[in-house]
Amino acid sequence: MGAKFDQEKFDQFILENGIIGFFKDPLKLKSGRFSHWYVNWRTVAEDAYLLDQLTDFVIAFIKSKKLNPDTFYGVPEGASKLGVLTQYKWAKSQKKFARGSHVLAMGRGKAKDHGAPKDKHFLAMPKGDTIVLEDVTSTGMSLFATLDTLQNLHIPILAGLALTNRNQVDDAGKSVEQLMKERGLPYFAISNALTLLPKLCAAKKATPGICASIEKEFAKYGTEPIKL
């Protein structure tokens, strides 16, 4: 966990584990848009060994940004395991680690319709300066819904952090980074589509037709055009 963050190694981790790839036929995303490419961190989240490696990358990245959170909190439910394991490893590495020093925060995928606020939305509520973890951001709907919940409960947000940014804008033409800035919050992405997709196409992991379709997708929805 003391290793420095290495962007090239992290991108290679993504490519080697098939986290990003292509659809022969476009599929509908959570945002409602159709796309020929995907980012799916589920394979890593289901594997204890890979998730252990991933949390080390996350902690190294956070250290490289000189951030010092009290709590890592994963967006329910996609980043819940990532949040819990990252927080556990982070807490154990702190000099002040002791009984009651750190919470293992975890949110509910669906809020309970009764009980205290901390029980409605959480299995364990974040405490102190919190970094909100998300696996993938496109238009950021899940991330912003989580931030709304936390901020309504006056939980201080240190930053939002995505494992991968799809580098796309919402229907108003705003990126996740822009929307976070409007909230007065920092946003970081450990990897991004503008770097990863060209590497895949260069390795001939997709047909020229699919690569051309992705270029059109970025011309319409991208934070900037992409050349594949």
Side-chain angles (χ1 to χ4, degrees), residues 132-137 160-165 187-191:
V132 179
L133 300 176
E134 176 65 299
D135 53 359
V136 183
T137 53
L161 175 66
L163 298 178
T164 306
N165 183 7
Y187 167 77
F188 302 99
I190 312 183
S191 64

Side-chain angles (χ1 to χ4, degrees), residues 7-91:
Q7 186 67 61
E8 189 62 34
K9 283 186 177 179
F10 187 67
D11 288 353
Q12 193 61 33
F13 177 81
I14 290 173
L15 299 175
E16 287 177 353
N17 289 291
I19 294 158
I20 186 169
F22 302 104
F23 299 122
K24 181 179 179 182
D25 299 309
L27 292 187
K28 190 174 184 179
L29 305 176
K30 189 175 182 179
S31 63
R33 297 171 180 173
F34 286 85
S35 181
H36 272 285
W37 64 283
Y38 66 85
V39 182
N40 189 342
W41 282 94
R42 189 174 300 115
T43 300
V44 172
E46 292 174 349
D47 187 293
Y49 179 81
L50 293 178
L51 189 56
D52 177 65
Q53 290 185 307
L54 176 58
T55 54
D56 283 348
F57 278 120
V58 171
I59 289 173
F61 182 85
I62 288 299
K63 288 182 176 179
S64 76
K65 299 301 179 182
K66 301 189 184 322
L67 298 173
N68 189 31
D70 296 301
T71 303
F72 285 93
Y73 177 74
V75 170
E77 294 170 336
S80 291
K81 287 190 284 186
L82 174 65
V84 169
L85 186 54
T86 303
Q87 173 67 357
Y88 175 71
K89 294 172 79 171
W90 176 258

Side-chain angles (χ1 to χ4, degrees), residues 21-228:
F22 302 104
F23 299 122
K24 181 179 179 182
D25 299 309
L27 292 187
K28 190 174 184 179
L29 305 176
K30 189 175 182 179
S31 63
R33 297 171 180 173
F34 286 85
S35 181
H36 272 285
W37 64 283
Y38 66 85
V39 182
N40 189 342
W41 282 94
R42 189 174 300 115
T43 300
V44 172
E46 292 174 349
D47 187 293
Y49 179 81
L50 293 178
L51 189 56
D52 177 65
Q53 290 185 307
L54 176 58
T55 54
D56 283 348
F57 278 120
V58 171
I59 289 173
F61 182 85
I62 288 299
K63 288 182 176 179
S64 76
K65 299 301 179 182
K66 301 189 184 322
L67 298 173
N68 189 31
D70 296 301
T71 303
F72 285 93
Y73 177 74
V75 170
E77 294 170 336
S80 291
K81 287 190 284 186
L82 174 65
V84 169
L85 186 54
T86 303
Q87 173 67 357
Y88 175 71
K89 294 172 79 171
W90 176 258
K92 284 199 70 177
S93 72
Q94 303 303 298
K95 291 181 180 179
K96 62 179 181 179
F97 183 57
R99 181 176 179 178
S101 64
H102 295 80
V103 65
L104 277 177
M106 185 174 179
R108 298 182 185 276
K110 182 179 180 181
K112 292 171 61 178
D113 58 5
H114 62 280
K118 67 177 183 177
D119 296 324
K120 284 184 179 181
H121 297 285
F122 308 100
L123 296 172
M125 189 172 175
K127 295 180 182 178
D129 290 340
T130 298
I131 290 180
V132 179
L133 300 176
E134 176 65 299
D135 53 359
V136 183
T137 53
S138 182
T139 58
M141 291 187 297
S142 297
L143 173 62
F144 293 125
T146 297
L147 290 171
D148 286 341
T149 298
L150 298 179
Q151 291 183 311
N152 286 339
L153 293 169
H154 307 291
I155 295 168
I157 308 300
L158 193 59
L161 175 66
L163 298 178
T164 306
N165 183 7
R166 285 182 65 98
N167 298 94
Q168 296 185 335
V169 298
D170 64 10
D171 292 338
K174 293 184 177 181
S175 67
V176 175
E177 187 173 16
Q178 287 175 299
L179 292 168
M180 288 289 284
K181 184 176 290 187
E182 289 178 5
R183 288 174 176 249
L185 296 174
Y187 167 77
F188 302 99
I190 312 183
S191 64
N192 67 84
L194 294 170
T195 299
L196 295 169
L197 286 172
K199 291 182 178 181
L200 278 182
C201 283
K204 298 183 179 179
K205 298 293 185 179
T207 64
I210 290 177
C211 291
S213 294
I214 293 172
E215 288 179 348
K216 291 179 181 178
E217 179 183 336
F218 272 81
K220 186 175 183 180
Y221 297 122
T223 55
E224 61 182 85
I226 192 170
K227 182 62 180 175
L228 304 175

